[in-house]
Amino acid sequence: MRSLIGAVVGAFCFAVPALAETPAAIVEEVQGKVDGIAFMDYVAPGKIIKLGPKASITLSYLKSCQREIISEGVVLVGAEQSTVQLGEVKREKVPCDTNAAKLSEREANQSAATTFRTMRSDAKGAPAKLPTLYGIAPLVQAKSGSTLVIERTDGKEPTISIPLRNDVMIGGKFYDFAKAGKSLTPGGSYLAILGAKRYAFQVDASATSSPTPIVGRLLRLE
């Protein structure tokens, strides 16, 4: 079995060209022996993951909103889904908005008022849909040591101010509202403020407190 896995890995290495290290998916769960991969790691296209006996990994793809539960075998990470040999994969499409997963430099450099106004309208001035989270408890990627402020922009709600200390961060780079017992309001529009960065987003009106796949509630502010 080991030689067969080695042959599959070799074939993957031979077939896959060098690719840029742009994250394609985030590791949502790891069970058993999986070398070189940990919970909440990002993986880029071309990454090869070997799963030991009875091991499994859950990947959430940032672009395609595909969530994969992969058991054993060898995994080749793609741009929108994985290729799996000698193992099993179960896929499901989950609610997510690729625009909510990454803060653009243009949005980051705008003032709060300008950001909100820009995100609320398109180039012709028509109403535009804000990037949407599908869970009421965001998972925010931000730099440890900074302060995250969340303001409601379409109604009255207490401002949330969170010092991002190392002891409240996952892996030093993620703050989980669910783990902290905090939540936002379904249907609400918000502004995330992190230093000079401003990011407008909304929470889907149907969002609930039920567990939500990471890719559906991820805000990458750093």
Side-chain angles (χ1 to χ4, degrees):
M1 183 65 176
R2 183 173 298 177
S3 60
L4 185 56
I5 290 177
V8 170
V9 172
F12 276 161
C13 290
F14 181 77
V16 178
L19 297 171
E21 290 295 315
T22 301
I26 189 168
V27 179
E28 192 169 324
E29 185 176 357
V30 177
Q31 294 186 352
K33 182 176 175 57
V34 184
D35 293 334
I37 291 294
F39 172 61
M40 298 302 291
D41 279 352
Y42 285 113
V43 290
K47 173 72 175 179
I48 297 173
I49 304 169
K50 294 185 289 183
L51 305 180
K54 298 183 179 180
S56 66
I57 188 171
T58 300
L59 297 178
S60 286
Y61 274 82
L62 304 175
K63 182 178 180 180
S64 64
C65 301
Q66 289 278 5
R67 185 172 184 262
E68 301 178 336
I69 301 176
I70 305 168
S71 302
E72 302 187 348
V74 182
V75 181
L76 174 63
V77 177
E80 299 187 8
Q81 70 176 40
S82 305
T83 300
V84 181
Q85 297 288 341
L86 307 177
E88 296 182 356
V89 57
K90 296 179 181 178
R91 292 188 178 95
E92 64 172 334
K93 192 91 167 180
V94 300
C96 86
D97 185 347
T98 57
N99 291 323
K102 185 66 174 70
L103 173 65
S104 76
E105 190 64 27
R106 180 181 60 81
E107 291 157 3
N109 289 333
Q110 291 174 331
S111 68
T114 304
T115 298
F116 185 65
R117 185 169 58 250
T118 301
M119 297 300 291
R120 293 296 296 180
S121 61
D122 61 19
K124 296 181 180 179
K129 181 184 177 183
L130 290 172
T132 303
L133 298 185
Y134 291 88
I136 63 173
L139 179 71
V140 181
Q141 179 181 343
K143 184 179 296 184
S144 178
S146 56
T147 297
L148 173 66
V149 176
I150 303 292
E151 295 181 352
R152 182 80 181 260
T153 56
D154 64 342
K156 292 184 178 181
E157 195 168 303
T159 297
I160 300 173
S161 182
I162 304 166
L164 300 179
R165 306 185 310 271
N166 284 328
D167 61 314
V168 300
M169 302 289 281
I170 300 173
K173 59 183 179 180
F174 293 98
Y175 180 84
D176 192 347
F177 274 59
K179 185 177 179 181
K182 300 180 185 295
S183 63
L184 304 180
T185 303
S189 297
Y190 293 89
L191 199 65
I193 304 172
L194 192 67
K197 297 185 177 181
R198 307 290 188 268
Y199 184 44
F201 68 96
Q202 67 183 2
V203 179
D204 188 73
S206 63
T208 68
S209 59
S210 300
T212 305
I214 285 175
V215 71
R217 59 189 186 95
L218 177 64
L219 277 177
R220 295 172 63 194
L221 305 185
E222 290 287 348

